[in-house]
């Protein structure tokens, strides 16, 4: 079942094909076809600075799938709030979770109308569970939490996994992500989990790190990198699950193809933590 927010205008009227959108650019890097020329041009421009961006996108996606399997199979989580879900591809959060526990319920949130079009068509739930899509922005966590469809789908009195995968790095500014994470986690009960990833410059050689800074200043990219200390602070008050904060390519990756990518080719931290 798909739930959608009420819109004032047809979705097709809201899709902006003249401005690059993160979800469509990510889709391009993953080899998808749901993108426009402007998204491909933006993606190619970023690849000039960070040539392994496609590897990072793929490894981030695999981290999401491994984290979801851990939550559903080992932690017993049956409710997921996935913000910044992006365009549907294979093995989305609800497919992984419901493959383990068909009764799992998932709320997807994204601010791109094109994502909603595809969500309506593709994000179908098992009969035992439920999948709902909300059009909203991570920058307005109170709006997300107050949405009646979220409340109809998830029981906020029971543990929920908050999934913030490849979305926090669109919140620009040092320390800017922490208040948003805190607002969302404060609304969830004990036993809930936070799953998060964020781009980082930490493993980059000096020249590439300088190029990243120049690309940010020039507006070529809006992917805001966070160092290990700032990213780890997002989990303050929570209990990090082993192995803690790591490159996304190394988080519980024992079953992945070897050799694992060089952390500098991924340049993204990931972590999973439980609310005590």
């Amino acid at each position: 079942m798909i739930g959608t927010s009420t819109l004032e205008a047809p979705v097709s009227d809201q899709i902006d094909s003249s401005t690059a959108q993160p979800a469509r650019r990510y889709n391009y890097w993953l080899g998808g076809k749901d993108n426009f020329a402007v998204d491909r041009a933006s993606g190619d421009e970023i690849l000039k600075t960070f040539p392994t961006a496609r590897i990072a996108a793929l490894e981030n996606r695999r981290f999401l799938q491994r984290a979801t399997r851990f939550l559903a199979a080992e932690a017993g989580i049956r409710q997921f709030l996935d913000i910044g879900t992006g365009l549907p591809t294979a093995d989305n959060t609800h497919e992984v979770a419901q493959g383990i526990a068909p009764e799992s319920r998932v709320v997807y949130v994204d601010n791109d109308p094109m994502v909603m079009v595809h969500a309506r068509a593709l994000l179908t739930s098992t009969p035992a569970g439920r999948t709902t899509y909300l059009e909203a922005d991570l920058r307005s966590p109170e709006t997300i939490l107050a949405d009646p469809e979220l409340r109809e789908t998830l029981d906020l009195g029971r543990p929920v996994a908050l999934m913030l995968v490849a979305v926090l790095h669109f919140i620009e500014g040092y320390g800017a992500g922490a208040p948003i994470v805190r607002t969302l986690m404060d609304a969830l009960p004990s036993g809930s989990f936070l799953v998060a990833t964020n781009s980082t410059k930490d493993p980059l050689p000096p020249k590439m790190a300088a190029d990243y800074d120049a690309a940010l200043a020039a507006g070529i990219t809006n992917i805001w990198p966070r160092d290990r200390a700032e990213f780890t602070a997002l989990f303050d008050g929570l209990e990090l699950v082993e192995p803690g904060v790591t490159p996304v390519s190394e988080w519980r990756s024992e079953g992945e193809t070897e050799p694992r990518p060089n952390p500098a080719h991924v340049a993204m931290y990931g972590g999973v933590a439980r609310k005590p």
Side-chain angles (χ1 to χ4, degrees):
M1 178 177 180
I2 299 294
T4 59
S5 299
T6 301
L7 302 175
E8 296 179 356
V11 172
S12 58
D13 293 345
Q14 300 181 49
I15 295 176
D16 182 1
S17 61
S18 64
T19 304
Q21 296 293 328
R24 301 194 308 248
R25 184 172 59 209
Y26 194 70
N27 175 264
Y28 168 56
W29 284 338
L30 289 174
K33 299 179 180 179
D34 298 311
N35 48 75
F36 297 117
V38 66
D39 306 305
R40 296 188 288 275
S42 173
D44 288 342
E45 191 66 26
I46 292 174
L47 286 170
K48 292 178 182 178
T49 302
F50 188 37
T52 58
R54 282 195 177 93
I55 295 175
L58 289 167
E59 289 300 327
N60 189 77
R61 187 74 183 175
R62 292 181 179 123
F63 166 86
L64 168 66
Q65 293 158 1
R66 294 195 303 273
T68 303
R69 284 196 292 271
F70 161 76
L71 292 167
E74 298 184 40
I77 294 295
R78 299 295 179 261
Q79 301 189 109
F80 298 80
L81 175 55
D82 188 336
I83 302 178
T85 179
L87 287 157
T89 60
D91 294 329
N92 299 285
T93 299
H94 78 283
E95 293 170 318
V96 175
Q98 291 180 350
I100 296 168
E103 70 275 21
S104 297
R105 292 179 162 236
V106 181
V107 172
Y108 288 112
V109 182
D110 205 284
N111 64 354
D112 185 344
M114 187 168 173
V115 174
M116 187 176 67
V117 172
H118 288 266
R120 281 175 166 166
L122 299 175
L123 297 183
T124 55
S125 173
T126 60
R130 182 171 177 178
T131 302
T132 301
Y133 177 82
L134 309 178
E135 187 180 5
D137 196 301
L138 176 61
R139 295 173 181 84
S140 302
E142 296 88 351
T143 301
I144 295 171
L145 293 167
D147 193 292
E149 292 209 57
L150 181 146
R151 301 282 176 156
E152 290 172 10
T153 306
L154 303 180
D155 177 358
L156 298 189
R158 296 173 54 234
V160 175
L162 172 63
M163 318 289 284
L164 299 176
V165 176
V167 65
L168 283 167
H169 49 218
F170 296 113
I171 306 298
E172 298 184 16
Y174 187 87
I180 294 173
V181 172
R182 191 174 305 114
T183 296
L184 291 165
M185 289 304 298
D186 282 351
L188 305 180
S190 174
S192 294
F193 282 81
L194 169 64
V195 178
T197 70
N198 203 107
S199 178
T200 182
K201 294 187 300 178
D202 284 359
L204 300 182
K207 174 64 166 61
M208 188 174 289
D211 289 345
Y212 198 133
D213 289 338
L216 274 173
I220 294 171
T221 182
N222 62 342
I223 299 174
W224 186 268
R226 291 186 162 86
D227 62 20
R228 184 182 182 87
E230 184 187 3
F231 180 72
T232 302
L234 297 173
F235 299 94
D236 283 354
L238 307 177
E239 300 168 346
L240 277 164
V241 173
E242 290 295 331
V245 169
T246 69
V248 292
S249 54
E250 297 179 6
W251 193 89
R252 299 199 172 204
S253 61
E254 294 80 5
E256 298 285 1
T257 302
E258 296 289 346
R260 306 304 299 134
N262 185 318
H265 294 165
V266 178
M268 190 172 297
Y269 283 128
V272 178
R274 180 183 182 276
K275 182 175 180 178

